[in-house]
Amino acid sequence: MNKMISVREINSLFKDGDQILVGGFGISGTPLTVLDELSTSEHKGFTIISNNLGDHGQGLHKLFIAGQIVKAIGSFFSINREAVMAWSRGELEIDLLPQGTLAEAIRCGGAGIGGFYTKTAVGTELAKGKEEKIIDGEKYIFEKALKGDVAIIKAKVADTLGNLTYHTTARNFNPMMATAGKIVIAEVDEIVEVGELDPETIVTPHAYVDYIIQSNYIKEGTDYLVK
Amino acid sequence: MSNSAKYIIAKRAAQELHDGQIVNLGIGIPTLLTEYLDNKVVYLQTENGLLGMGPAPSDDQLDADLMNAGKEPITFLPGASFFNSADSFAMIRGGHVDVAVLGVLQVSHDGEIANWAVPNQPILGVGGAMDLLIGANKVIAVGTLFAKDGTPKLVPTLTYKSTGARKVELFITEYAVFKFSNQGVEIVEILNDITLDELNELLGIRLELVKH
């Protein structure tokens, strides 16, 4: 099966109202090429699961500006000023989760686990309405697993089968998201032949990856620029 | 906040770190601790997926992929490792981080902290604060003793939203170091030329100076 697709094929993989997992912490490890293309589509009503909503006009920020996002599930949206304002006006629904809870919920979603109990957020506003359980004398709250209709992730290198390696802190949420999407699209800097990646260095096995797309971006200093 | 206050706090907080520890430094004042480690070897964990964080990069070392939790460019040191966010928080929640140093908005007299939400403002960011609070083996709160409006950050009970039920061990400010235990709060060290009486008057409470 050929997993390689072109930018023009991206938008046909989505539908209105999809719940989409989007990799990245800040802009590091964000599938910018896929998001650029998706922001030009007519699709709308997306629920986004991502640590934040892009930054500096890049990444998910473009989908937000295009009015395609109705709900965001993540841990840190304070830097996205326009998102904060939209939330204040009631135009954007937000589910705030502690960062570790977000990561574990996605890990569970991809691993066939329905949810988990954590001590994180016990006694805080973010525990409101969540089931409590005492385990070995300590209070925990239940957090449900998270999954997506589509996961869009960023890796450094893919082989043509879809095995992936990552680069430094651009790994972040991407490996878990690769396991938790019904459709998984991996944007990568480099595509190599099968056998070229050392099996010991592969972080995401190809079983999780449906589509591979070559990134349009290069790094320059602290920026990601279109080639 | 004066710069000198920040550096007094960072310098004193750095004394709490010891050789060989795994340490997570929060955003803001906590990141300044790295300037006062002297010859101590600690391993810095950043929750976006690195153990072994190094200093800020030179211009030719800049790499947009490589950042800390505050989204600032960083480097990594020999012996460093990268991991995904779920593994990073397993490290944090699972008790494998020795010390977390967290900036705070308020600390209650029994050591409960608030550091993620300001009243009457949209609350749209929490990040890793709640995970670090419940997971790290020791939590040190740092911050100036007074907010911009002059009110003490050390308060009888929190008026800002709590970060969690777990209490911190220490609150290190530019005036004094506060220690929390089941017996309540005590001052263990005064860090400038203020007297205990003057400090108590500013705080509106009556604390003892207990040298350990």
Side-chain angles (χ1 to χ4, degrees), chain B residues 162-184:
Chain B
S162 173
T163 304
R166 187 258 171 91
K167 312 293 194 285
V168 300
E169 276 74 7
L170 294 173
F171 178 29
I172 298 175
T173 73
E174 74 277 41
Y175 288 98
V177 178
F178 300 89
K179 189 171 197 279
F180 304 90
S181 67
N182 292 338
Q183 281 73 50

Side-chain angles (χ1 to χ4, degrees), chain A residues 25-26 28 75 77-78 84 87 96-100 118 120-122 124-125 167-170 172-173 176 219 221-222 224, chain B residues 48 62-67 69 71 82 84-86 89 93 122-128 130-131 134 161-165:
Chain A
F25 183 93
S28 174
S75 93
F77 301 117
S78 311
V84 172
W87 174 82
L96 197 62
L97 293 173
Q99 196 179 140
T118 178
T120 301
V122 167
T124 76
E125 184 165 301
H167 184 243
T168 69
T169 50
N172 56 65
F173 289 86
M176 293 89 71
K219 290 186 285 185
T222 55
Y224 295 91
Chain B
N48 52 320
L62 277 176
D63 179 342
D65 286 347
L66 185 54
M67 56 167 65
K71 303 186 176 74
F82 294 105
N84 69 47
S85 301
F89 282 94
R93 269 191 257 93
I123 313 156
L124 297 178
V126 62
M130 291 182 179
D131 305 282
I134 64 100
K161 292 178 193 304
S162 173
T163 304

Side-chain angles (χ1 to χ4, degrees), chain B residues 49-172:
Chain B
L50 166 61
L51 176 60
M53 179 169 69
S58 59
D59 282 352
D60 61 348
Q61 289 177 310
L62 277 176
D63 179 342
D65 286 347
L66 185 54
M67 56 167 65
N68 64 16
K71 303 186 176 74
E72 297 161 328
I74 53 166
T75 54
F76 61 92
L77 298 172
S81 52
F82 294 105
F83 32 84
N84 69 47
S85 301
D87 288 345
S88 181
F89 282 94
M91 192 181 286
I92 290 167
R93 269 191 257 93
H96 311 287
V97 171
D98 295 305
V99 185
V101 183
L102 302 175
V104 287
L105 297 167
Q106 279 186 333
V107 184
S108 75
H109 288 178
D110 62 355
E112 186 175 357
I113 66 165
N115 77 343
W116 66 285
V118 179
N120 306 317
Q121 288 192 20
I123 313 156
L124 297 178
V126 62
M130 291 182 179
D131 305 282
L132 284 161
L133 178 64
I134 64 100
N137 293 322
K138 179 175 183 176
V139 181
I140 300 170
V142 296
T144 53
L145 186 51
F146 300 95
K148 282 187 187 132
D149 66 1
T151 57
K153 292 182 186 170
L154 185 71
V155 292
T157 53
L158 299 179
T159 56
Y160 289 9
K161 292 178 193 304
S162 173
T163 304
R166 187 258 171 91
K167 312 293 194 285
V168 300
E169 276 74 7
L170 294 173
F171 178 29
I172 298 175

Side-chain angles (χ1 to χ4, degrees), chain A residues 200-211:
Chain A
E200 296 283 4
T201 67
I202 292 168
V203 174
T204 296
H206 67 76
Y208 297 110
V209 177
D210 299 301
Y211 299 101

Side-chain angles (χ1 to χ4, degrees), chain A residues 19 47-53 69-78 83 87 92-99 101-102 105 125-126 128 130 143-146, chain B residues 116 123-127:
Chain A
Q19 178 151 301
T47 291
I48 298 295
I49 302 172
S50 190
N51 191 60
N52 37 282
L53 280 180
I69 301 174
V70 293
K71 181 176 178 181
I73 302 170
S75 93
F76 202 78
F77 301 117
S78 311
W87 174 82
L92 177 70
E93 191 182 343
I94 284 185
D95 262 7
L96 197 62
L97 293 173
Q99 196 179 140
T101 298
L102 175 68
E125 184 165 301
L126 299 189
K128 274 187 188 158
K130 292 179 177 168
E143 296 281 359
K144 199 165 164 287
L146 288 169
Chain B
W116 66 285
I123 313 156
L124 297 178
V126 62

Side-chain angles (χ1 to χ4, degrees), chain A residues 53-111:
Chain A
L53 280 180
D55 205 355
H56 298 105
Q58 287 191 303
L60 282 165
H61 192 245
K62 290 190 179 177
L63 269 68
F64 174 74
I65 295 300
Q68 294 169 297
I69 301 174
V70 293
K71 181 176 178 181
I73 302 170
S75 93
F76 202 78
F77 301 117
S78 311
I79 53 166
N80 305 111
R81 272 197 65 80
E82 289 133 327
V84 172
M85 286 158 63
W87 174 82
S88 303
R89 291 191 303 265
E91 294 165 12
L92 177 70
E93 191 182 343
I94 284 185
D95 262 7
L96 197 62
L97 293 173
Q99 196 179 140
T101 298
L102 175 68
E104 186 65 11
I106 299 164
R107 194 195 70 78
C108 286

